[in-house]
Structures are given as C-alpha cells and as structure tokens.
Amino acid sequence: MRVQSSATAPVTIAVDSRPSRATGTLLAALGVVAFSLTFPATAWGLEGFGPWSLVAVRSVLAALIAGACLLALRVPLPDRRHRAGLAVVAAGVVVGFPLLTTLALQTSTTAHAAVVVGLLPLTTALLSALRMGTRPSRTFWTPPSPAPPR
C-alpha cells in the first residue's frame, strides 16, 4: 500500500475539536448514572416479563441503538480475524451479564446486586493478575485514603 491510498489515509484531529476535561467528566458521570439504573430497570422489567424475554428485549434494543450509532458514524466492519473474539465478548456482554443479573434479581434485591457488581473491578484485577502471573504492589491493592478536610 502507498501512503496516499485511501486505506492508509491519515486521520487528523484538530486540537480545538477535542472535548474539554469538564465535558469528559460530565459524560462519565452521565454514564455512571445511566448504569446505576440498570438493576432497578431490570427489577421493574421482571414485573411484566420473564427473565428470558426481558434479556431478549434488552438485547434487541441494545442492538438497534448500537447499529444505528455504527451506521451514523460509518464505522467499518471489523477484520475477519477479530470477529471470533468479538463474538465471545458480545456473548458475555449482550447475553451473559444481562441474563445472569436478571436471574439473580429474581431472588435478590437491587442493592445486593449493586454491591456484587461493584466488586467486579477488583475481581477482574485479581483474576487478571493471577492469569498473567504478575504481582502488583500492595499500593495497587489498597484503597486510596480519603483526602483530609480543608
């Protein structure tokens, strides 16, 4: 390929087009608020749907929204070599997590489910460290101390 071919066209981003730090923080906060509604919405959905139907409805809605965004942004299809890995991730994210949390919410409260899911980052770090054979420092595993009052 040549540098001039459309497959290797350079992507330039104007410095002024980047969102500000405040915009990033606002978007992150909105993401946290939206995610915090997952368990209450699932518990509410269980009042009218069975767990399997609810997961199917959630998956279809997510696919429609994601598909519309991908089409609007004209995102190219992934390379063939990435598709198997993406299928595994999609199975976990689109079916596995929603199905297991929906089944759990039939016998548990949303508060208990939120605590368990809150432990996911720690569990992910622990299993990753064990799988990769790394030993993060004690500082990594200890929570940050709260800032002193001013």
Side-chain angles (χ1 to χ4, degrees):
M1 287 193 284
R2 298 184 330 260
V3 173
Q4 303 300 333
S5 75
S6 62
T8 60
V11 176
T12 56
I13 298 175
V15 174
D16 296 332
S17 69
R18 291 188 311 178
S20 69
R21 180 170 278 162
T23 302
T25 302
L26 176 64
L27 291 173
L30 287 174
V32 169
V33 169
F35 186 73
S36 73
L37 299 173
T38 299
F39 294 144
T42 301
W44 176 72
L46 281 170
E47 294 175 9
F49 292 100
W52 295 93
S53 300
L54 184 59
V55 170
V57 169
R58 285 177 64 173
S59 298
V60 169
L61 286 174
L64 291 173
I65 293 169
C69 290
L70 292 172
L71 284 173
L73 296 172
R74 297 185 178 155
V75 176
L77 290 173
D79 292 337
R80 188 176 303 270
R81 63 189 167 103
H82 296 298
R83 291 182 187 165
L86 287 172
V88 171
V89 171
V93 172
V94 176
V95 179
F97 183 79
L99 177 62
L100 294 175
T101 56
T102 302
L103 292 172
L105 284 171
Q106 288 185 303
T107 59
S108 182
T109 66
T110 57
H112 285 106
V115 169
V116 171
V117 170
L119 293 172
L120 279 176
L122 177 63
T123 307
T124 302
L126 177 65
L127 292 176
S128 176
L130 290 173
R131 183 170 186 200
M132 299 305 294
T134 59
R135 292 186 53 100
S137 66
R138 282 195 178 148
T139 307
F140 176 83
W141 296 109
T142 56
S145 58
R150 292 184 185 202

